[in-house]
Amino acid sequence: MPKFFVKSENINDHTVILDGENAKHIGNVLRAKVGDVITVCDGEGRDYECEIREITKKEIIARVTDIFTNDNEPSVKITLYQGLPKADKMELVIQKCIETGIDRIVPVKTEHAVVKLEGKEEKKIQRWNKIAEAAAKQCGRGKIPVVENAVDFKEAVMDAKKLDGGIIPYEKERERGLKQFAKNFKGKSIGIFIGPEGGFSNEEIDFAKENGIEPVTLGKRILRTETAGLVALVILLYELEEQ
């Protein structure tokens, strides 16, 4: 059943109004008809089963036939602080991490990052958030995880200090793994730091450690930047019994 996200104010008295890109997709791509059933989510954990009642060029009007709680969101909220990777790797990271259960994604400008967003950051963020929305629809999420504006590494660390825990996979860490971290973790929010292709600098690792971000190993093999965040996320969710 097709799923669409709408603002909560678009849901009133058992009537849902879908406009903009949602209306175009329903009318022009799906070629839906009056009487077809769709699922609408308010982005706050509630899903609405709806029957299409009216189709116009600008909006779709549907009647709510059932309301149920979306239980697809992990109770532990995990933020990915992703060092800016080359080419279109960020799109893959966003898509797969949202499918898996990430709560928030923060692009990070690091010392070894090759990619520079100056002059094109706004367009990139807009595109990344469209990819986030599409991924959230596809996998049945109860919210659309936000891809935030890019920040410097130190800003990212200061942001992560507000969470209940933080990790930074590091190839020189040999003993502490994600299982050990998860076993001792008692909070509700975690930050994962992933470096770009060149990894983090020694200064960045030191700054993270000084501010409570714990180095961990992801195993004996060195993973690519577009793989490492997904692996860390999946292992954490599994170890925290969020699978």
Side-chain angles (χ1 to χ4, degrees):
M1 186 185 300
K3 181 170 187 173
F4 302 90
F5 286 90
V6 301
K7 296 178 180 178
S8 56
E9 54 261 37
N10 282 33
I11 305 173
N12 286 294
D13 194 25
H14 292 283
T15 298
V16 178
I17 296 176
L18 300 100
D19 50 17
E21 292 298 321
N22 282 336
K24 290 179 183 178
H25 187 77
I26 293 170
N28 300 334
V29 179
L30 297 180
R31 299 198 176 279
K33 301 179 180 64
V34 171
D36 286 353
V37 177
I38 59 175
T39 299
V40 172
C41 182
D42 62 7
E44 299 175 0
R46 287 179 295 274
D47 285 345
Y48 302 77
E49 185 176 290
C50 303
E51 179 183 317
I52 296 175
R53 285 300 183 89
E54 185 178 343
I55 300 175
T56 71
K57 291 183 178 180
K58 293 185 177 181
E59 63 184 24
I60 307 293
I61 299 175
R63 181 177 66 87
V64 177
T65 57
D66 198 6
I67 304 173
F68 44 97
T69 301
N70 184 298
D71 60 358
N72 295 339
E73 293 302 312
S75 60
V76 177
K77 306 304 180 184
I78 300 180
T79 298
L80 174 65
Y81 297 93
Q82 173 67 53
L84 288 169
K86 294 186 289 187
D88 58 356
K89 294 177 182 178
M90 190 67 172
E91 297 182 5
L92 178 65
V93 169
I94 292 167
Q95 183 185 69
K96 298 308 176 185
C97 285
I98 285 178
E99 288 178 16
T100 309
I102 203 73
D103 185 69
R104 187 170 61 117
I105 297 175
V106 181
V108 182
K109 305 170 188 177
T110 64
E111 187 175 330
H112 292 164
V114 175
V115 173
K116 306 297 180 185
L117 294 181
E118 285 75 8
K120 54 185 178 181
E121 181 171 346
E122 184 176 350
K123 288 185 177 180
K124 282 284 189 182
I125 297 298
Q126 288 177 353
R127 174 165 174 75
W128 290 342
N129 275 294
K130 284 185 177 180
I131 291 169
E133 181 175 357
K137 288 179 181 177
Q138 182 274 323
C139 66
R141 295 286 299 263
K143 63 176 286 185
I144 303 173
V146 174
V147 182
E148 300 190 354
N149 290 331
V151 299
D152 294 331
F153 181 79
K154 289 187 176 181
E155 292 179 80
V157 171
M158 292 298 103
D159 184 75
K161 286 186 70 174
K162 303 172 187 175
L163 306 179
D164 297 327
I167 59 169
I168 185 164
Y170 183 42
E171 63 270 19
K172 292 184 180 179
E173 175 61 40
R174 296 287 185 264
E175 297 180 2
R176 186 175 178 80
L178 291 174
K179 179 178 288 190
Q180 183 180 355
F181 172 84
K183 182 179 179 180
N184 298 320
F185 181 73
K186 304 299 181 184
K188 287 293 183 181
S189 58
I190 301 171
I192 300 174
F193 282 80
I194 300 296
E197 287 82 358
F200 291 115
S201 69
N202 291 333
E203 290 75 16
E204 287 170 334
I205 293 292
D206 289 342
F207 184 78
K209 291 165 65 176
E210 289 166 4
N211 286 278
I213 309 300
E214 302 178 38
V216 295
T217 176
L218 295 182
K220 296 179 180 180
R221 291 163 295 282
I222 296 178
L223 304 179
R224 292 178 182 271
T225 183
E226 66 269 29
T227 308
L230 179 61
V231 168
L233 173 61
V234 170
I235 293 174
L236 272 180
L237 290 175
Y238 180 82
E239 292 295 338
L240 294 167
E241 298 184 348
E242 293 284 355
Q243 71 276 15

